[in-house]
Amino acid sequence: MGDRRSPGPPAHPANPPPERQRRWPALGVGLVAAFMTLLDVSIVNVAVPSMERALGATPSDLQWVLSGYALTFGLVLVPAGRFGDAHGRRTAFVVGIALFTITSAAAGLAPSPGWLVAARLLQGAAAGVVNPQVTGLIQELFQGPERARPFGILGATIGISTAVGPLLGGVLIHLGGVEHGWRWVFFVNVPVGVLAVVLGWRLLPHRPAGRADHRRLDPVGVLLLGTGVLLVLLPLVQEHWRDPAKWLLVPAGLIALGAFAAWERRYARRQEPLFDLRLLGVRSYGLGALIALVYFGGFTAIFFIFTLYLQNGLGYSALVAGLAITPFALGSAAASAVGGRIVNRYGRPLVAIGLLTVVVGLLAVVLAVGRVPAGVPVPWWTAAPLLLAGLGSGLVIAPNQTLTLAQVPVGQAGSGAGMLQTGQRIGAAAGIAAVGTVFFSSLAASGGDWSIAFRRSLLLASGVIALALIAALADIVRR
């Protein structure tokens, strides 16, 4: 027994397994891919006026360019996560990134609105294939408390990619010109995507350790979940449908989701289901998923209405509109770096502090916009409260992601992360629809006063985020 090693060396063995040696480079590739796919949720907002002029797109076309991406993104998240759990994340990741790269190039080359819409739908589906593989990769390569750091970085990536999208889009349009700059919003993905395909194939593990790759993918569950998500999201993302009967699709979608839940319970008696509903009974997962759904309902809508206010209402360029949101992105980046490190120490109260800070920051933006002195640029007046809101957001997304997925088994990491992100996409679509409706109705009722429309809709977004704060506080009180 004299050659028995001391407790220290196993953490850093002389010849660690290849997966452990490559886990941080592999995660780096995954984070770049996640950033790129999530960036495309918001980067297109500032390019809408250019697309409209260049392609002669109708308002309905533009709505599908913006929200069709989110629709197909949300549809494939859970099935793609399940596929990665069953057959290995490398295959799903590489195929998803390759498709995302091809469709990005196709969108940039679009000669007509129909072409662009089709490319965006496929691009969103590809993004939905990629993202659950990144979260599953963290579950697979990191254990226990050491997951806090990579989850923190992933949460920062999610928050920053959404916030920095308008800025990057504005820069690309400025450099490429008003007529063709919008094409570079899509072309910029191509070289990054090619590199991610090569490095992903080299660095990502082929399949989860110790798991067979022959599990069934539950086609009935896939169909019911896809139908339910489609029916719920469709009337939310297609705002230009004026027929009130479209809202009947929402209860129909909820019925389909109820059927999905019943089927999954039955299927779980014989096979491993598409999504194990018992995860919702895990307190950290169920509450975290609820907070994420509600928070994204308010969070994502902020950039939508702020961009409209600055560009269409005040006449600022796409570049200035993007720069105006930069304080939020900077605050989110700084707080995410801290939040990822301290979440294991403070837990859910840290998320509650972040939510409260976001609400206070957004209310300060409402007050600031209503008191901008004559001749003072609005972006200067909103910079400080947006920075505060960004700091709060950094303490929400990254820590909540860590807490939500901490107790999810490795074999369910992809499907669990997929369901979490599906909730985020549903929340984002619902929030943009609700907040956008208040924005445009207030604009009409006020006789075209963009400031009033922005402030009223931002109050609604703040109220939605306050609901997430109430959920977090209720959990803290129960504990």
Side-chain angles (χ1 to χ4, degrees):
M1 300 298 290
D3 61 346
R4 194 171 65 183
R5 297 181 182 180
S6 63
H12 302 283
N15 295 299
E19 290 81 5
R20 189 171 182 87
Q21 289 178 335
R22 299 195 303 257
R23 63 178 184 169
W24 282 105
L27 178 61
V29 175
L31 291 172
V32 169
F35 182 89
M36 181 171 62
T37 56
L38 292 166
L39 184 75
D40 268 52
V41 173
S42 62
I43 193 173
V44 179
N45 283 326
V46 296
V48 164
S50 300
M51 293 176 188
E52 187 176 16
R53 287 190 295 268
L55 299 179
T58 66
S60 181
D61 294 329
L62 296 174
Q63 182 66 28
W64 274 104
V65 168
L66 289 173
S67 49
Y69 182 87
L71 177 64
T72 52
F73 196 143
L75 280 174
V76 304
L77 278 166
V78 176
R82 170 60 185 257
F83 182 90
D85 290 338
H87 297 282
R89 312 197 196 284
R90 183 177 73 174
T91 301
F93 179 88
V94 170
V95 170
I97 284 294
L99 180 60
F100 185 84
T101 304
I102 294 169
T103 52
S104 294
L109 294 170
S112 66
W115 178 301
L116 182 58
V117 169
R120 283 288 283 175
L121 291 172
L122 291 173
Q123 190 188 30
V129 172
V130 172
N131 274 271
Q133 315 312 327
V134 180
T135 310
L137 189 69
I138 294 175
Q139 297 285 82
E140 183 178 339
L141 296 181
F142 298 86
Q143 303 297 321
E146 69 178 2
R147 291 175 180 162
R149 185 182 174 195
F151 271 136
I153 299 173
L154 177 60
T157 301
I158 295 171
I160 295 170
S161 61
T162 305
V164 83
L167 171 61
L168 182 56
V171 170
L172 291 171
I173 291 170
H174 178 74
L175 294 176
V178 176
E179 182 68 22
H180 297 293
W182 66 270
R183 298 184 184 275
W184 291 100
V185 167
F186 301 109
F187 286 149
V188 72
N189 294 329
V190 175
V192 181
V194 171
L195 186 61
V197 166
V198 174
L199 294 180
W201 187 258
R202 291 188 59 186
L203 295 174
L204 268 64
H206 180 54
R207 66 170 58 96
R211 298 200 64 86
D213 65 350
H214 58 270
R215 293 183 296 172
R216 294 172 57 188
L217 291 177
D218 186 8
V220 175
V222 170
L223 179 62
L224 289 172
L225 178 63
T227 301
V229 172
L230 177 64
L231 292 176
V232 170
L233 284 180
L234 196 55
L236 297 175
V237 302
Q238 187 62 0
E239 293 178 18
H240 292 281
W241 285 0
R242 300 304 180 190
D243 187 353
K246 73 175 185 177
W247 296 111
L248 294 175
L249 295 176
V250 175
L254 295 177
I255 292 172
L257 292 176
F260 166 73
W263 169 260
E264 291 299 281
R265 288 193 185 94
R266 178 181 176 186
Y267 190 82
R269 298 172 191 155
R270 298 174 285 114
Q271 300 278 346
E272 188 167 349
L274 178 67
F275 175 73
D276 192 341
L277 295 172
R278 288 174 295 183
L279 281 179
L280 295 175
V282 177
R283 189 168 184 170
S284 60
Y285 186 87
L287 179 68
L290 174 63
I291 290 174
L293 184 149
V294 178
Y295 180 70
F296 271 75
F299 161 71
T300 312
I302 297 168
F303 311 107
F304 173 63
I305 58 175
F306 196 40
T307 301
L308 282 175
Y309 171 54
L310 294 177
Q311 286 190 265
N312 295 357
L314 302 182
Y316 288 112
S317 67
L319 178 58
V320 173
L323 287 169
I325 300 173
T326 301
F328 190 102
L330 293 175
S332 180
S336 294
V338 176
R341 292 184 183 140
I342 64 176
V343 61
N344 284 335
R345 186 186 310 170
Y346 296 104
R348 195 71 65 188
L350 181 66
V351 176
I353 291 171
L355 289 166
L356 177 62
T357 306
V358 174
V359 172
V360 171
L362 294 182
L363 292 178
V365 173
V366 173
L367 294 174
V369 170
R371 291 166 173 76
V372 177
V376 177
V378 169
W380 285 110
W381 208 245
T382 59
L386 280 176
L387 176 64
L388 179 64
L391 289 169
S393 186
L395 296 179
V396 175
I397 298 178
N400 188 64
Q401 178 115 347
T402 302
L403 294 171
T404 303
L405 297 173
Q407 298 180 31
V408 176
V410 172
Q412 298 173 318
S415 57
M419 188 63 80
L420 177 64
Q421 289 202 37
T422 299
Q424 292 173 357
R425 300 279 74 80
I426 292 175
I432 289 175
V435 174
T437 297
V438 170
F439 184 92
F440 290 114
S441 61
S442 298
L443 187 64
S446 63
D449 191 320
W450 290 84
S451 175
I452 290 177
F454 174 65
R455 282 181 284 150
R456 287 179 180 173
S457 54
L458 190 57
L459 280 174
L460 176 59
S462 304
V464 172
I465 294 172
L467 294 177
L469 173 60
I470 292 171
L473 291 175
D475 178 65
I476 294 170
V477 170
R478 279 207 311 267
R479 287 177 183 275

